Amino acid sequence: MAPSLREQNPPTDGGEDDRPIRVAIVDDQAMVRQGFGALLDAQTDMTVVGSVGDGSDAVDLVRRTHPDVILMDIRMPRMNGLDATRAVKAMPGLGHPRIIILTTFDADEYVFSALRAGASGFLLKDATAEDLVSAVRIVAAGEALLAPSVTSRLIADYASRPRAPRRTEVLSPLTEREIEVMKLVATGQSNAEIAGVLFLAEQTVKTHVSRILGKLGLRDRTQIVVVAYESGLVSPAG
């Protein structure tokens, strides 16, 4: 039996480098909350600060506990994960907690919108324990959760739907090298992988990614992927 999750007080102003990753879980299924919570609480570098079953309760939980990472179900009764993601990202003074959307993939059509709203990626609900723990660490470290086998399929599916003509002018501030980097980010490749493809130092790739974010006014790598597809830089066919 999984232990009940307890809310914990927000962190003090101590050294943040050594403190555990603070995780909040938002899902309307109690078994999911308990199972994920027990697994993450058992990690030496993580602590679950609370769990709730509705998006509207999530906003209050985040305000009180200041998590670093939120596992957010997308389908909930009163406020869904999309609206909750928007609400959390609009809250001032929280240091922008990172959000992982929990989804069953084929059934959820709101995931792309959640990425646009500021989520850092998504995870399938039937992911392995190892994948879940890894996902929290990846997102907490500031990376986007962009597995090519899943995320690119989702965004490509969205991008292939009929909609307004693509606008390539949004990419005009970027250099040719930054556009090359952006294309590779959009396929879900890490900085190390991009460095290998372009024969660059990994730190140079990080600098290019930072410049892309700044020039285009984006939050993180996930939004780079969104813009890459919406602008037509990357097509559903690859």
Side-chain angles (χ1 to χ4, degrees), residues 214-230:
K215 288 181 178 181
L216 300 185
L218 306 176
R219 293 189 189 97
D220 55 28
R221 295 171 74 97
T222 307
Q223 291 199 328
I224 290 179
V225 177
V226 172
V227 172
Y229 277 94
E230 288 190 329

Side-chain angles (χ1 to χ4, degrees), residues 64-98:
R64 289 184 285 106
T65 63
H66 297 253
D68 301 308
V69 176
I70 305 168
L71 297 178
M72 181 83 75
D73 187 16
I74 199 144
R75 290 176 179 251
M76 293 178 286
R78 288 189 299 162
M79 178 185 285
N80 63 35
L82 174 58
D83 291 336
T85 295
R86 288 173 175 155
V88 167
K89 286 297 180 179
M91 294 170 67
L94 288 179
H96 301 293
R98 298 182 179 275

Side-chain angles (χ1 to χ4, degrees), residues 4-238:
S4 59
L5 301 179
R6 62 192 183 281
E7 286 190 9
Q8 300 175 0
N9 294 326
T12 61
D13 294 330
E16 293 190 357
D17 290 343
D18 296 329
R19 71 174 175 83
I21 301 167
R22 300 171 60 80
V23 184
I25 302 172
V26 184
D27 194 291
D28 63 343
Q29 297 181 22
M31 290 184 65
V32 171
R33 298 196 304 272
Q34 292 170 359
F36 283 5
L39 172 65
L40 298 178
D41 243 350
Q43 308 304 310
T44 58
D45 60 340
M46 299 180 192
T47 183
V48 176
V49 296
S51 68
V52 291
D54 181 77
S56 58
D57 293 331
V59 175
D60 180 60
L61 175 65
V62 170
R63 183 180 292 111
R64 289 184 285 106
T65 63
H66 297 253
D68 301 308
V69 176
I70 305 168
L71 297 178
M72 181 83 75
D73 187 16
I74 199 144
R75 290 176 179 251
M76 293 178 286
R78 288 189 299 162
M79 178 185 285
N80 63 35
L82 174 58
D83 291 336
T85 295
R86 288 173 175 155
V88 167
K89 286 297 180 179
M91 294 170 67
L94 288 179
H96 301 293
R98 298 182 179 275
I99 298 174
I100 300 174
I101 295 294
L102 299 173
T103 177
T104 54
F105 184 69
D106 288 333
D108 296 333
E109 297 184 358
Y110 301 115
V111 177
F112 188 88
S113 296
L115 297 178
R116 292 194 64 193
S120 293
F122 70 93
L123 188 70
L124 298 180
K125 281 194 174 182
D126 61 357
T128 66
E130 181 180 359
D131 286 342
L132 173 61
V133 171
S134 176
V136 172
R137 290 183 178 131
I138 288 170
V139 169
E143 295 288 339
L145 192 63
L146 298 171
S149 62
V150 182
T151 306
S152 294
R153 277 181 56 201
L154 175 72
I155 296 178
D157 175 69
Y158 179 91
S160 67
R161 300 175 187 177
R163 67 186 196 283
R166 292 166 175 166
R167 300 174 57 192
T168 58
E169 67 271 16
V170 298
L171 304 179
S172 60
L174 304 182
T175 65
E176 290 185 11
R177 177 62 85 185
E178 288 164 354
I179 287 176
E180 286 182 311
V181 171
M182 187 172 185
K183 284 181 179 179
L184 294 173
V185 170
T187 67
Q189 297 194 49
S190 67
N191 287 341
E193 291 168 334
I194 295 172
V197 171
L198 298 180
F199 302 100
L200 299 172
E202 187 173 349
Q203 183 58 48
T204 301
V205 174
K206 290 180 180 179
T207 299
H208 284 310
V209 171
S210 179
R211 288 175 178 168
I212 292 168
L213 293 171
K215 288 181 178 181
L216 300 185
L218 306 176
R219 293 189 189 97
D220 55 28
R221 295 171 74 97
T222 307
Q223 291 199 328
I224 290 179
V225 177
V226 172
V227 172
Y229 277 94
E230 288 190 329
S231 67
L233 179 63
V234 177
S235 69

